[in-house]
Amino acid sequence: MQKITLTILSVFLFSFQYEKSNRGVFEYEQIETRNKGEKSHIMLFNLNINDQYSTYTQVYKNEMDEKYAQDNGEGVSNMIVVKPKKNEMKIIYNDFVNSEMYFKDIVAYDKVYVKEIKIKMDWKLSEEKRAYGSKICKKATTFFRGRKYTAWYSPEIKTKVGPWKFINTPGLIFEIYDTDYVLNIRLNKLNTKKYSNINSWENEKNKKVIGMTKYISLRKKSEDIILERLNSKLPKGSKPFIKNKEQQDIEIL
């Protein structure tokens, strides 16, 4: 059996801010399966990287793409493409100059703007390889907010900014997923010759930023708020919606 050499890369969020990175636009599909046995939700995102910041912005999807309606070998694809309102698209913003991260989310039907804590990620690197098209990617694993994630990254594309909140891999992430596939993010398209100076975060108006403690509190209450609103609209005598105790959350331990 071939021996695989492992190393530990222990770094702090934003430690990459003065390192030279590839600029570009990278298109991802983000698949979330919050409740066991239910359909997975697909959200499409663009990761835009320039010298001063990066944005990971949800893409508006008007209709279901043929790709997601195809038979997956086990019957019709068990996925739903999320179609948010244009003013409700999620954003994650990395400010390299001021060493800060912010994000926009929708919690119980309301937009919230949050300042992220400074995350520490320890990546365990492996020489194990996997091909993604013409690119050969290497494997790295980490624990983040109670979940173990496996990433496949390309050392050829020098950037330590990845999809969602993942940072500091030694190259661009082509795919990342946790052990239970609650979250699975895949690269669809990359363009290192093009990037945008349009800052989707700065274009958000009247932002009132909250901290992570308040955000987590709101998320924990959000299902009760949604259920209350749904049940209030049910015809008299209908069976009420109840809380799913097995719901999994990628933001909360």
Side-chain angles (χ1 to χ4, degrees), residues 42-46 56-61 82-86 88-92 104 106 200:
I42 296 178
M43 291 173 282
L44 307 178
F45 285 84
N46 281 343
Y56 184 63
T57 307
Q58 190 172 1
V59 177
Y60 179 74
K61 190 71 176 177
V82 176
K83 307 180 188 75
K85 296 179 181 178
K86 289 188 177 180
E88 293 183 349
M89 292 182 289
K90 299 181 179 182
I91 303 168
I92 296 176
K104 170 189 173 184
I106 308 300
S200 55

Side-chain angles (χ1 to χ4, degrees), residues 84-105:
K85 296 179 181 178
K86 289 188 177 180
N87 68 338
E88 293 183 349
M89 292 182 289
K90 299 181 179 182
I91 303 168
I92 296 176
Y93 170 60
N94 267 309
D95 180 347
F96 304 153
V97 176
N98 297 304
S99 302
E100 293 175 337
M101 178 191 280
Y102 297 88
F103 63 93
K104 170 189 173 184
D105 198 2

Side-chain angles (χ1 to χ4, degrees), residues 3 10 18 21 46 70 93 121 128-129 171 183 206 211 224:
K3 186 177 179 181
S10 179
Y18 296 115
S21 295
N46 281 343
Q70 292 176 347
Y93 170 60
M121 283 189 180
E128 189 175 345
K129 297 176 181 178
L183 179 64
N206 303 316
D224 291 329

Side-chain angles (χ1 to χ4, degrees), residues 121-134:
M121 283 189 180
D122 296 326
W123 290 97
K124 183 179 288 187
L125 306 182
S126 167
E127 290 303 314
E128 189 175 345
K129 297 176 181 178
R130 177 183 290 183
Y132 285 83
S134 62

Side-chain angles (χ1 to χ4, degrees), residues 200-212:
S200 55
W201 175 259
E202 292 299 327
N203 284 345
E204 293 288 322
K205 306 300 182 184
N206 303 316
K207 296 188 294 291
K208 184 179 179 181
V209 178
I210 62 174
M212 281 296 291

Side-chain angles (χ1 to χ4, degrees), residues 11-219:
V11 282
F12 286 88
L13 182 62
F14 311 120
S15 63
F16 55 85
Q17 60 181 313
Y18 296 115
E19 295 183 19
K20 184 66 175 176
S21 295
N22 272 109
R23 297 179 295 181
V25 177
F26 309 94
E27 299 178 12
Y28 287 92
E29 61 181 35
Q30 181 167 311
I31 305 168
E32 297 183 19
T33 308
R34 298 293 182 87
N35 300 317
K36 294 180 179 178
E38 295 187 4
K39 289 181 180 291
S40 301
H41 288 73
I42 296 178
M43 291 173 282
L44 307 178
F45 285 84
N46 281 343
L47 174 62
N48 183 70
I49 305 172
N50 62 34
D51 293 328
Q52 296 183 316
Y53 62 83
S54 70
T55 54
Y56 184 63
T57 307
Q58 190 172 1
V59 177
Y60 179 74
K61 190 71 176 177
N62 189 38
E63 295 180 357
M64 179 175 282
D65 194 297
E66 180 184 355
K67 170 181 178 180
Y68 303 115
Q70 292 176 347
D71 191 318
N72 63 1
E74 299 178 354
V76 177
S77 178
N78 195 34
M79 295 184 182
I80 299 172
V81 176
V82 176
K83 307 180 188 75
K85 296 179 181 178
K86 289 188 177 180
N87 68 338
E88 293 183 349
M89 292 182 289
K90 299 181 179 182
I91 303 168
I92 296 176
Y93 170 60
N94 267 309
D95 180 347
F96 304 153
V97 176
N98 297 304
S99 302
E100 293 175 337
M101 178 191 280
Y102 297 88
F103 63 93
K104 170 189 173 184
D105 198 2
I106 308 300
V107 180
Y109 306 110
D110 294 324
K111 289 184 288 187
V112 292
Y113 300 93
V114 188
K115 184 175 182 179
E116 179 62 272
I117 60 173
K118 290 196 174 182
I119 303 164
K120 180 182 178 182
M121 283 189 180
D122 296 326
W123 290 97
K124 183 179 288 187
L125 306 182
S126 167
E127 290 303 314
E128 189 175 345
K129 297 176 181 178
R130 177 183 290 183
Y132 285 83
S134 62
K135 299 293 184 183
I136 301 300
C137 294
K138 290 187 175 183
K139 180 180 178 181
T141 57
T142 192
F143 282 90
F144 181 57
R145 295 197 169 142
R147 298 188 178 282
K148 182 180 180 180
Y149 287 93
T150 297
W152 295 92
Y153 67 93
S154 170
E156 294 179 40
I157 304 175
K158 301 295 183 183
T159 179
K160 292 191 175 182
V161 186
W164 196 49
K165 298 180 179 180
F166 298 108
I167 48 89
N168 284 321
T169 49
L172 183 71
I173 293 174
F174 274 57
E175 183 175 17
I176 188 164
Y177 47 83
D178 68 281
T179 305
D180 299 318
Y181 279 84
V182 175
L183 179 64
N184 181 198
I185 306 176
R186 305 167 183 169
L187 180 67
N188 283 336
K189 185 178 179 181
L190 63 89
N191 189 338
T192 56
K193 296 181 180 180
K194 179 182 178 181
Y195 68 95
S196 173
N197 283 319
I198 298 173
N199 189 330
S200 55
W201 175 259
E202 292 299 327
N203 284 345
E204 293 288 322
K205 306 300 182 184
N206 303 316
K207 296 188 294 291
K208 184 179 179 181
V209 178
I210 62 174
M212 281 296 291
T213 301
K214 186 172 182 179
Y215 169 69
I216 291 172
S217 176
L218 289 173
R219 282 186 71 97

